């Protein structure tokens, strides 16, 4: 179980070229802005198509340039927590969390969706946001938004979790609480997780492995 990927993608000023494999671990990717970190996540999620390479998650091929395989984003079963959380402002907290489940309706059986809806309730309880269920996503705090976004990323039981600087917008007091919550959550998560951060403390707290990226290459 795990993920292996080789990605080649021509960017504006350099070519992204990375080759990596990991198990059910948390990989931290560090590097300056514009080094290609988010492009890696977008390629893995299917938002960006690599020029060459191969992506395999749990022995399932999601992308292969040579075999002409490119599984659509919605069928990859990947959780993605964006840097700005990307919550839907016109939806409640619960509607945001359930968005992923409803978006999967044509790809899974009704019994599976029912199970995922129950899992969503449990996820909201675990992350301490059940009491916010009917509130607008725009009316809650930064730390609460982070937990809502994490719940939405996790609710479909993804085989891979991608986190793009998810803590950067939080104040220091909120960060401390979220770090503790996320650390506990990681104990039960046990899926491959990739975290992008500029914060060395987060690397020390969470990383099983870490790499530094410079102009598209691992240094």
């Amino acid at each position: 179980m795990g993920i292996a990927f080789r990605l080649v993608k021509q960017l504006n000023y350099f070519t992204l070229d990375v080759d990596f494999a990991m198990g059910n671990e948390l990989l931290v990717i560090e590097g300056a802005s514009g080094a290609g970190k988010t492009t890696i996540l977008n390629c893995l999620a299917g938002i960006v198509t690599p020029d060459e390479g191969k992506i395999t998650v749990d022995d399932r091929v999601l992308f292969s340039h040579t075999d002409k395989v490119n599984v659509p984003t919605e069928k990859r079963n990947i959780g993605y927590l964006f840097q700005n959380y990307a919550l839907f402002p016109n939806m409640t907290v619960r509607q945001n969390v359930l968005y992923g489940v409803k978006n999967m309706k044509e790809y899974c059986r009704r019994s599976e969706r029912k199970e995922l809806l129950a899992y969503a309730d449990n996820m909201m309880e675990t992350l301490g946001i059940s009491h916010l269920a009917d509130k607008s996503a725009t009316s809650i705090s930064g730390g609460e938004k982070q937990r809502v976004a994490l719940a939405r990323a996790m609710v479909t039981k993804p085989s891979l979790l991608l986190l793009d600087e998810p803590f950067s917008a939080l104040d220091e007091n909120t960060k401390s609480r979220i770090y503790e919550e996320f650390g506990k959550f990681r104990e039960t998560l046990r899926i491959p997780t990739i975290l992008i951060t500029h914060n060395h403390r987060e690397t020390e707290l969470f990383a099983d492995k870490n790499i530094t990226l410079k102009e598209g290459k691992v240094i």
Side-chain angles (χ1 to χ4, degrees):
M1 303 289 281
I3 174 174
F5 57 90
R6 166 87 198 288
L7 303 173
V8 178
K9 180 68 177 178
Q10 181 63 51
L11 303 179
N12 287 336
Y13 302 108
F14 56 82
T15 300
L16 175 72
D17 190 344
V18 293
D19 191 346
F20 202 82
M22 57 186 282
N24 291 338
E25 302 162 293
L26 191 148
L27 167 68
V28 168
I29 303 179
E30 297 179 290
S33 296
K37 304 184 300 298
T38 297
T39 300
I40 291 176
L41 300 195
N42 288 340
C43 286
L44 295 175
I47 298 170
V48 171
T49 301
D51 298 327
E52 299 177 31
K54 186 175 183 178
I55 302 169
T56 305
V57 177
D58 294 342
D59 297 324
R60 180 183 176 219
V61 178
L62 302 184
F63 174 82
S64 173
H65 173 70
T66 55
D67 297 328
K68 301 192 184 307
V69 174
N70 191 10
V71 176
T73 298
E74 63 273 16
K75 292 186 178 182
R76 293 195 178 198
N77 192 29
I78 291 175
Y80 198 156
L81 201 167
F82 297 89
Q83 183 176 358
N84 63 358
Y85 309 142
L87 299 181
F88 297 103
N90 60 325
M91 293 184 183
T92 65
V93 165
R94 182 175 175 80
Q95 287 170 334
N96 266 280
V97 172
L98 294 180
Y99 180 80
V101 176
K102 292 180 179 179
N103 204 37
M104 290 179 67
K105 63 183 179 181
E106 62 181 289
Y107 305 115
C108 63
R109 298 188 302 271
R110 181 174 297 180
S111 60
E112 292 174 323
R113 294 201 304 277
K114 186 176 180 180
E115 179 184 327
L116 289 174
L117 289 170
Y119 181 66
D121 288 335
N122 179 259
M123 182 66 61
M124 291 175 67
E125 182 70 30
T126 299
L127 291 172
I129 55 174
S130 295
H131 65 292
L132 303 172
D134 297 322
K135 287 187 175 294
S136 166
T138 59
S139 67
I140 59 178
S141 71
E144 290 166 342
K145 287 177 181 177
Q146 194 269 351
R147 283 178 280 174
V148 173
L150 182 58
R152 186 178 64 184
M154 287 301 302
V155 74
T156 55
K157 297 184 178 180
S159 52
L160 171 66
L161 182 61
L162 308 175
L163 307 171
D164 191 356
E165 299 194 52
F167 312 116
S168 61
L170 305 179
D171 62 74
E172 289 306 313
N173 288 336
T174 304
K175 272 186 184 180
S176 296
R177 295 198 305 273
I178 295 298
Y179 284 166
E180 184 175 355
E181 289 178 7
F182 183 69
K184 292 176 181 176
F185 197 54
R186 272 287 300 153
E187 293 298 316
T188 58
L189 202 57
R190 308 323 306 164
I191 62 171
T193 302
I194 300 178
L195 167 66
I196 289 177
T197 183
H198 289 284
N199 189 322
H200 292 297
R201 183 185 174 202
E202 292 170 9
T203 302
E204 293 172 353
L205 283 172
F206 304 125
D208 296 310
K209 296 179 178 178
N210 68 288
I211 58 176
T212 300
L213 207 65
K214 182 177 181 180
E215 296 186 345
K217 305 291 192 298
V218 176
I219 58 171

